[in-house]
Amino acid sequence: MAEHRDKFILAIDHGTSGVKTSLMTTRGEMVGHEREPTPIHYLPGGGAEQDPDDWWNALLETGGRLIGRGLVPAEDVAAVCVSSTFSSTVAVDSSGRHLMNCLTWMDSRGAPYIKEVVGGFPSFDGYCLYKMLPWIYKSGGGPQLSGKDDVAHVLFIKRERPEIYSRTHMFMGSKDYLNLRLSGEFAASYDSMSLFWVTNSRDPGRPYYDDYLLRLSGLDKNKLPPMRRSIDVLGYLKPEVAGRLGLKKDVKVIVGSPDHQAACVGSGAVRDFEGHLYVGTSSWIQCVVPFKKTDVLHSIASLPTSIPGKYYCANEQDAAGGCLTFLIGNILYHRNEVRSEDPPADVFERVEKIAARTPAGSGGLIFTPWLNGERTPVDDPNARAGFHNLGLTSNLDHMVRAVLEGVAYNNRWALGYVEKFIGRKMDGLNMIGGGALSPSWRQIFADVTNREIRQIKDPVQANARGAAFIASAALGYITFEEIPGLVKVENVSRPEPGNVKIYNDLYGEFLQIYRRNAPIYRRLNLKK
């Protein structure tokens, strides 16, 4: 085991809403952090784009500020490791410059082209059985019809931005793009390429590009980066980048992982079948599994993770904390002729007080959280959010709590299929992400899922902690087996029997709302 005393990792957590950069010890303890927001641009037809320069400038700004605070000697920073949004696709030229905005994980404009690729006779749920059987056998799953996977993003560019496609040297995930800017090296990790759906991952330790899947999807292997392990050393900081950050030129850049996999490591739930719940802009239920398996109907598959030789499975919800942001910005503090003030600095504390004083069940009001459609446990880009059962006695307090409850109902839906996938109950979930900071939301999750919810210390830093652990394992400072003992639980929320009964009844109605309204959503929102 290498000596790691007084060594530190610069951990980059690039999320949808911004970049959080942290200084972490090799054992996952946070020394300091900085944050810089980045905008997202929503476009007609399901577009959701970001400018990669915004990410890069935020990375340099937060990293420079953090190192400049002098919290640790710059020469003691051993490595940089990035965690970034999964399935956010960047087209770059041979010099590494991006050629257009990134198509983020919320961008669904490639859906028509995916349907062309996977469709055909005999068909089941929009998929040609003859095509999907080898896809599932080789990659563990296949493209979602929602068009939010990397493969759909590439096909959208190929069909609707042909001039960009012809100039593209490589299509890269957002994490791998940032690594390129840091090190100058074109490369991806096995896990970051999963949602291009062209890798044969039957051996989780060494996936490879599969010629048959490439032909089936219409992707060009020459436009995809070489793959490495998440724990490999990619290279060193470029001298000009090291200078901007205030670091030495010998700082290593670790290949790293996307947000799902980094969060798994940072949550401490790295042993088989141990689950974690992430609640940020999106939300997911995830656990490590020792087998390869696929649930086609509910979009769950065993996919490579950052832990060498291991798979993970997950069910991801498109909008979670994003629903709360929508509530604040579009309803509570929407600027118009009636209301002109911006949300107060303590708006989340105010929301917490409202949720805490409002009885469980929100007076029978149910919120459905499908603001941008849904990907799991149903793959439905046409589903939409709404408040159901509003009455004359309903008020804003009920609406606030109903939003938190609606996100939890959807997570319970996802949890059920993950537990069916692994064949056991996950009796306790490690909770991370910004949503874990809310005592009321933690209790709602405990009551709705009837599971113990364990809030991990510094839950917002879980992705950065995961990146730091990956870097520490890469450099030989720790092993993955040590991680559960390095992650501390700060708060535990246990189900309250009275609330569990209330939520059981409302959850059943939540499911009925989707099933009965899905045809209406389709008619109102179907993309031609």
mmCIF file of all heavy atoms in Angstrom, residues 274-307:
data_model
loop_
_atom_site.group_PDB
_atom_site.id
_atom_site.type_symbol
_atom_site.label_atom_id
_atom_site.label_comp_id
_atom_site.label_asym_id
_atom_site.label_seq_id
_atom_site.Cartn_x
_atom_site.Cartn_y
_atom_site.Cartn_z
ATOM 1 N N GLU A 274 -25.892 -3.613 -1.652
ATOM 2 C CA GLU A 274 -26.094 -2.466 -0.762
ATOM 3 C C GLU A 274 -26.558 -1.284 -1.599
ATOM 4 O O GLU A 274 -25.904 -0.908 -2.570
ATOM 5 C CB GLU A 274 -24.802 -2.109 -0.023
ATOM 6 C CG GLU A 274 -24.385 -3.133 1.009
ATOM 7 C CD GLU A 274 -23.136 -2.719 1.760
ATOM 8 O OE1 GLU A 274 -22.429 -1.804 1.277
ATOM 9 O OE2 GLU A 274 -22.858 -3.303 2.819
ATOM 10 N N GLY A 275 -27.689 -0.680 -1.213
ATOM 11 C CA GLY A 275 -28.288 0.340 -2.060
ATOM 12 C C GLY A 275 -28.017 1.757 -1.605
ATOM 13 O O GLY A 275 -27.795 2.023 -0.425
ATOM 14 N N HIS A 276 -28.049 2.674 -2.581
ATOM 15 C CA HIS A 276 -28.027 4.091 -2.231
ATOM 16 C C HIS A 276 -29.100 4.825 -3.023
ATOM 17 O O HIS A 276 -29.503 4.405 -4.115
ATOM 18 C CB HIS A 276 -26.645 4.716 -2.440
ATOM 19 C CG HIS A 276 -26.329 5.137 -3.842
ATOM 20 N ND1 HIS A 276 -25.626 4.344 -4.717
ATOM 21 C CD2 HIS A 276 -26.601 6.285 -4.515
ATOM 22 C CE1 HIS A 276 -25.483 4.973 -5.865
ATOM 23 N NE2 HIS A 276 -26.070 6.153 -5.782
ATOM 24 N N LEU A 277 -29.568 5.910 -2.426
ATOM 25 C CA LEU A 277 -30.569 6.788 -3.017
ATOM 26 C C LEU A 277 -29.926 8.150 -3.211
ATOM 27 O O LEU A 277 -29.457 8.763 -2.246
ATOM 28 C CB LEU A 277 -31.779 6.904 -2.079
ATOM 29 C CG LEU A 277 -32.745 8.076 -2.307
ATOM 30 C CD1 LEU A 277 -33.461 7.936 -3.656
ATOM 31 C CD2 LEU A 277 -33.760 8.148 -1.167
ATOM 32 N N TYR A 278 -29.898 8.601 -4.464
ATOM 33 C CA TYR A 278 -29.380 9.935 -4.773
ATOM 34 C C TYR A 278 -30.551 10.838 -5.109
ATOM 35 O O TYR A 278 -31.421 10.474 -5.903
ATOM 36 C CB TYR A 278 -28.413 9.882 -5.952
ATOM 37 C CG TYR A 278 -28.029 11.249 -6.477
ATOM 38 C CD1 TYR A 278 -26.990 11.971 -5.887
ATOM 39 C CD2 TYR A 278 -28.717 11.825 -7.541
ATOM 40 C CE1 TYR A 278 -26.654 13.238 -6.353
ATOM 41 C CE2 TYR A 278 -28.385 13.084 -8.015
ATOM 42 C CZ TYR A 278 -27.348 13.791 -7.413
ATOM 43 O OH TYR A 278 -27.025 15.035 -7.880
ATOM 44 N N VAL A 279 -30.580 12.026 -4.502
ATOM 45 C CA VAL A 279 -31.599 13.019 -4.831
ATOM 46 C C VAL A 279 -30.900 14.343 -5.097
ATOM 47 O O VAL A 279 -30.456 15.036 -4.172
ATOM 48 C CB VAL A 279 -32.649 13.176 -3.711
ATOM 49 C CG1 VAL A 279 -33.707 14.208 -4.123
ATOM 50 C CG2 VAL A 279 -33.314 11.843 -3.412
ATOM 51 N N GLY A 280 -30.759 14.662 -6.372
ATOM 52 C CA GLY A 280 -30.231 15.953 -6.802
ATOM 53 C C GLY A 280 -31.196 16.512 -7.819
ATOM 54 O O GLY A 280 -32.409 16.445 -7.630
ATOM 55 N N THR A 281 -30.694 17.063 -8.931
ATOM 56 C CA THR A 281 -31.590 17.494 -9.999
ATOM 57 C C THR A 281 -32.440 16.318 -10.457
ATOM 58 O O THR A 281 -33.646 16.416 -10.622
ATOM 59 C CB THR A 281 -30.789 18.056 -11.188
ATOM 60 O OG1 THR A 281 -29.990 19.150 -10.728
ATOM 61 C CG2 THR A 281 -31.716 18.543 -12.285
ATOM 62 N N SER A 282 -31.790 15.179 -10.672
ATOM 63 C CA SER A 282 -32.488 13.924 -10.938
ATOM 64 C C SER A 282 -32.394 13.062 -9.680
ATOM 65 O O SER A 282 -31.971 13.525 -8.626
ATOM 66 C CB SER A 282 -31.859 13.205 -12.136
ATOM 67 O OG SER A 282 -30.517 12.855 -11.856
ATOM 68 N N SER A 283 -32.790 11.816 -9.805
ATOM 69 C CA SER A 283 -32.739 10.910 -8.657
ATOM 70 C C SER A 283 -32.568 9.489 -9.167
ATOM 71 O O SER A 283 -32.943 9.177 -10.296
ATOM 72 C CB SER A 283 -34.034 11.020 -7.849
ATOM 73 O OG SER A 283 -34.012 10.149 -6.738
ATOM 74 N N TRP A 284 -31.964 8.643 -8.327
ATOM 75 C CA TRP A 284 -31.855 7.235 -8.713
ATOM 76 C C TRP A 284 -31.710 6.334 -7.495
ATOM 77 O O TRP A 284 -31.316 6.768 -6.414
ATOM 78 C CB TRP A 284 -30.677 7.010 -9.661
ATOM 79 C CG TRP A 284 -29.313 7.383 -9.143
ATOM 80 C CD1 TRP A 284 -28.582 6.742 -8.186
ATOM 81 C CD2 TRP A 284 -28.514 8.501 -9.577
ATOM 82 N NE1 TRP A 284 -27.382 7.372 -8.002
ATOM 83 C CE2 TRP A 284 -27.303 8.450 -8.839
ATOM 84 C CE3 TRP A 284 -28.689 9.507 -10.520
ATOM 85 C CZ2 TRP A 284 -26.294 9.400 -9.012
ATOM 86 C CZ3 TRP A 284 -27.682 10.451 -10.686
ATOM 87 C CH2 TRP A 284 -26.502 10.380 -9.935
ATOM 88 N N ILE A 285 -32.074 5.083 -7.725
ATOM 89 C CA ILE A 285 -31.833 3.981 -6.788
ATOM 90 C C ILE A 285 -30.798 3.082 -7.460
ATOM 91 O O ILE A 285 -30.954 2.696 -8.615
ATOM 92 C CB ILE A 285 -33.105 3.155 -6.527
ATOM 93 C CG1 ILE A 285 -34.256 4.043 -6.037
ATOM 94 C CG2 ILE A 285 -32.809 2.017 -5.560
ATOM 95 C CD1 ILE A 285 -34.166 4.447 -4.590
ATOM 96 N N GLN A 286 -29.747 2.718 -6.736
ATOM 97 C CA GLN A 286 -28.656 1.974 -7.380
ATOM 98 C C GLN A 286 -27.999 1.030 -6.390
ATOM 99 O O GLN A 286 -27.962 1.284 -5.189
ATOM 100 C CB GLN A 286 -27.618 2.963 -7.918
ATOM 101 C CG GLN A 286 -26.440 2.309 -8.625
ATOM 102 C CD GLN A 286 -25.500 3.357 -9.213
ATOM 103 O OE1 GLN A 286 -25.936 4.410 -9.665
ATOM 104 N NE2 GLN A 286 -24.218 3.084 -9.204
ATOM 105 N N CYS A 287 -27.461 -0.071 -6.914
ATOM 106 C CA CYS A 287 -26.631 -0.953 -6.098
ATOM 107 C C CYS A 287 -25.680 -1.742 -6.985
ATOM 108 O O CYS A 287 -25.911 -1.910 -8.186
ATOM 109 C CB CYS A 287 -27.472 -1.890 -5.232
ATOM 110 S SG CYS A 287 -28.319 -3.187 -6.134
ATOM 111 N N VAL A 288 -24.599 -2.216 -6.377
ATOM 112 C CA VAL A 288 -23.628 -3.075 -7.057
ATOM 113 C C VAL A 288 -24.176 -4.498 -7.071
ATOM 114 O O VAL A 288 -24.763 -4.964 -6.095
ATOM 115 C CB VAL A 288 -22.266 -3.022 -6.333
ATOM 116 C CG1 VAL A 288 -21.282 -4.027 -6.930
ATOM 117 C CG2 VAL A 288 -21.693 -1.607 -6.400
ATOM 118 N N VAL A 289 -24.000 -5.192 -8.217
ATOM 119 C CA VAL A 289 -24.476 -6.572 -8.331
ATOM 120 C C VAL A 289 -23.346 -7.454 -8.873
ATOM 121 O O VAL A 289 -22.500 -6.991 -9.641
ATOM 122 C CB VAL A 289 -25.710 -6.686 -9.246
ATOM 123 C CG1 VAL A 289 -26.903 -5.991 -8.633
ATOM 124 C CG2 VAL A 289 -25.429 -6.118 -10.638
ATOM 125 N N PRO A 290 -23.343 -8.739 -8.488
ATOM 126 C CA PRO A 290 -22.272 -9.648 -8.923
ATOM 127 C C PRO A 290 -22.632 -10.461 -10.159
ATOM 128 O O PRO A 290 -21.938 -11.428 -10.478
ATOM 129 C CB PRO A 290 -22.114 -10.566 -7.705
ATOM 130 C CG PRO A 290 -23.503 -10.667 -7.157
ATOM 131 C CD PRO A 290 -24.160 -9.335 -7.408
ATOM 132 N N PHE A 291 -23.715 -10.084 -10.856
ATOM 133 C CA PHE A 291 -24.157 -10.891 -11.993
ATOM 134 C C PHE A 291 -24.584 -9.992 -13.152
ATOM 135 O O PHE A 291 -24.827 -8.798 -12.979
ATOM 136 C CB PHE A 291 -25.337 -11.779 -11.589
ATOM 137 C CG PHE A 291 -26.471 -11.037 -10.919
ATOM 138 C CD1 PHE A 291 -27.293 -10.168 -11.631
ATOM 139 C CD2 PHE A 291 -26.712 -11.196 -9.556
ATOM 140 C CE1 PHE A 291 -28.330 -9.488 -11.020
ATOM 141 C CE2 PHE A 291 -27.742 -10.509 -8.927
ATOM 142 C CZ PHE A 291 -28.555 -9.652 -9.663
ATOM 143 N N LYS A 292 -24.679 -10.598 -14.324
ATOM 144 C CA LYS A 292 -25.158 -9.899 -15.508
ATOM 145 C C LYS A 292 -26.603 -10.303 -15.769
ATOM 146 O O LYS A 292 -26.916 -11.489 -15.855
ATOM 147 C CB LYS A 292 -24.292 -10.231 -16.723
ATOM 148 C CG LYS A 292 -24.597 -9.370 -17.938
ATOM 149 C CD LYS A 292 -23.521 -9.512 -18.988
ATOM 150 C CE LYS A 292 -23.785 -8.605 -20.177
ATOM 151 N NZ LYS A 292 -23.854 -7.193 -19.805
ATOM 152 N N LYS A 293 -27.478 -9.302 -15.898
ATOM 153 C CA LYS A 293 -28.905 -9.561 -16.025
ATOM 154 C C LYS A 293 -29.546 -8.328 -16.661
ATOM 155 O O LYS A 293 -28.991 -7.231 -16.607
ATOM 156 C CB LYS A 293 -29.495 -9.833 -14.630
ATOM 157 C CG LYS A 293 -30.977 -10.166 -14.575
ATOM 158 C CD LYS A 293 -31.378 -10.426 -13.121
ATOM 159 C CE LYS A 293 -32.878 -10.624 -12.966
ATOM 160 N NZ LYS A 293 -33.279 -10.823 -11.556
ATOM 161 N N THR A 294 -30.721 -8.499 -17.260
ATOM 162 C CA THR A 294 -31.428 -7.383 -17.885
ATOM 163 C C THR A 294 -32.921 -7.503 -17.626
ATOM 164 O O THR A 294 -33.492 -8.593 -17.742
ATOM 165 C CB THR A 294 -31.185 -7.348 -19.407
ATOM 166 O OG1 THR A 294 -29.780 -7.275 -19.654
ATOM 167 C CG2 THR A 294 -31.868 -6.145 -20.040
ATOM 168 N N ASP A 295 -33.543 -6.374 -17.257
ATOM 169 C CA ASP A 295 -34.996 -6.255 -17.186
ATOM 170 C C ASP A 295 -35.400 -5.260 -18.260
ATOM 171 O O ASP A 295 -35.364 -4.052 -18.051
ATOM 172 C CB ASP A 295 -35.434 -5.775 -15.797
ATOM 173 C CG ASP A 295 -36.939 -5.537 -15.689
ATOM 174 O OD1 ASP A 295 -37.643 -5.698 -16.708
ATOM 175 O OD2 ASP A 295 -37.403 -5.166 -14.597
ATOM 176 N N VAL A 296 -35.759 -5.782 -19.431
ATOM 177 C CA VAL A 296 -36.047 -4.925 -20.583
ATOM 178 C C VAL A 296 -37.245 -4.027 -20.319
ATOM 179 O O VAL A 296 -37.253 -2.844 -20.687
ATOM 180 C CB VAL A 296 -36.304 -5.791 -21.838
ATOM 181 C CG1 VAL A 296 -36.631 -4.920 -23.039
ATOM 182 C CG2 VAL A 296 -35.091 -6.657 -22.138
ATOM 183 N N LEU A 297 -38.269 -4.555 -19.667
ATOM 184 C CA LEU A 297 -39.515 -3.815 -19.505
ATOM 185 C C LEU A 297 -39.360 -2.589 -18.617
ATOM 186 O O LEU A 297 -40.136 -1.638 -18.736
ATOM 187 C CB LEU A 297 -40.599 -4.732 -18.935
ATOM 188 C CG LEU A 297 -41.024 -5.900 -19.831
ATOM 189 C CD1 LEU A 297 -42.088 -6.733 -19.142
ATOM 190 C CD2 LEU A 297 -41.530 -5.390 -21.171
ATOM 191 N N HIS A 298 -38.360 -2.597 -17.737
ATOM 192 C CA HIS A 298 -38.219 -1.485 -16.797
ATOM 193 C C HIS A 298 -36.842 -0.832 -16.873
ATOM 194 O O HIS A 298 -36.418 -0.138 -15.945
ATOM 195 C CB HIS A 298 -38.528 -1.969 -15.374
ATOM 196 C CG HIS A 298 -39.871 -2.613 -15.268
ATOM 197 N ND1 HIS A 298 -40.039 -3.982 -15.214
ATOM 198 C CD2 HIS A 298 -41.123 -2.077 -15.264
ATOM 199 C CE1 HIS A 298 -41.330 -4.258 -15.167
ATOM 200 N NE2 HIS A 298 -42.002 -3.130 -15.193
ATOM 201 N N SER A 299 -36.150 -1.062 -17.978
ATOM 202 C CA SER A 299 -34.887 -0.364 -18.294
ATOM 203 C C SER A 299 -33.843 -0.518 -17.196
ATOM 204 O O SER A 299 -33.179 0.441 -16.811
ATOM 205 C CB SER A 299 -35.160 1.131 -18.561
ATOM 206 O OG SER A 299 -36.089 1.292 -19.607
ATOM 207 N N ILE A 300 -33.686 -1.752 -16.695
ATOM 208 C CA ILE A 300 -32.647 -2.041 -15.708
ATOM 209 C C ILE A 300 -31.694 -3.064 -16.305
ATOM 210 O O ILE A 300 -32.130 -4.081 -16.856
ATOM 211 C CB ILE A 300 -33.224 -2.592 -14.391
ATOM 212 C CG1 ILE A 300 -34.368 -1.715 -13.878
ATOM 213 C CG2 ILE A 300 -32.138 -2.693 -13.330
ATOM 214 C CD1 ILE A 300 -35.037 -2.245 -12.624
ATOM 215 N N ALA A 301 -30.412 -2.784 -16.183
ATOM 216 C CA ALA A 301 -29.415 -3.704 -16.724
ATOM 217 C C ALA A 301 -28.177 -3.689 -15.844
ATOM 218 O O ALA A 301 -27.908 -2.710 -15.139
ATOM 219 C CB ALA A 301 -29.038 -3.305 -18.154
ATOM 220 N N SER A 302 -27.433 -4.778 -15.876
ATOM 221 C CA SER A 302 -26.121 -4.828 -15.220
ATOM 222 C C SER A 302 -25.110 -4.148 -16.135
ATOM 223 O O SER A 302 -24.850 -4.632 -17.240
ATOM 224 C CB SER A 302 -25.710 -6.282 -14.970
ATOM 225 O OG SER A 302 -26.658 -6.951 -14.172
ATOM 226 N N LEU A 303 -24.534 -3.044 -15.681
ATOM 227 C CA LEU A 303 -23.599 -2.263 -16.486
ATOM 228 C C LEU A 303 -22.275 -2.110 -15.741
ATOM 229 O O LEU A 303 -22.241 -2.170 -14.501
ATOM 230 C CB LEU A 303 -24.186 -0.881 -16.798
ATOM 231 C CG LEU A 303 -25.482 -0.868 -17.618
ATOM 232 C CD1 LEU A 303 -26.018 0.558 -17.733
ATOM 233 C CD2 LEU A 303 -25.265 -1.472 -18.994
ATOM 234 N N PRO A 304 -21.177 -1.904 -16.464
ATOM 235 C CA PRO A 304 -19.873 -1.757 -15.797
ATOM 236 C C PRO A 304 -19.856 -0.563 -14.847
ATOM 237 O O PRO A 304 -20.467 0.473 -15.108
ATOM 238 C CB PRO A 304 -18.905 -1.533 -16.964
ATOM 239 C CG PRO A 304 -19.592 -2.109 -18.150
ATOM 240 C CD PRO A 304 -21.050 -1.867 -17.927
ATOM 241 N N THR A 305 -19.141 -0.729 -13.761
ATOM 242 C CA THR A 305 -18.981 0.358 -12.803
ATOM 243 C C THR A 305 -17.498 0.663 -12.634
ATOM 244 O O THR A 305 -16.641 0.046 -13.263
ATOM 245 C CB THR A 305 -19.638 -0.011 -11.461
ATOM 246 O OG1 THR A 305 -19.621 1.133 -10.594
ATOM 247 C CG2 THR A 305 -18.939 -1.164 -10.792
ATOM 248 N N SER A 306 -17.186 1.624 -11.782
ATOM 249 C CA SER A 306 -15.789 2.036 -11.609
ATOM 250 C C SER A 306 -14.983 1.030 -10.809
ATOM 251 O O SER A 306 -13.753 1.075 -10.810
ATOM 252 C CB SER A 306 -15.734 3.408 -10.929
ATOM 253 O OG SER A 306 -16.562 3.435 -9.788
ATOM 254 N N ILE A 307 -15.654 0.113 -10.122
ATOM 255 C CA ILE A 307 -14.969 -0.923 -9.358
ATOM 256 C C ILE A 307 -14.602 -2.041 -10.330
ATOM 257 O O ILE A 307 -15.492 -2.663 -10.920
ATOM 258 C CB ILE A 307 -15.866 -1.466 -8.235
ATOM 259 C CG1 ILE A 307 -16.391 -0.315 -7.365
ATOM 260 C CG2 ILE A 307 -15.120 -2.482 -7.391
ATOM 261 C CD1 ILE A 307 -17.476 -0.732 -6.384
#
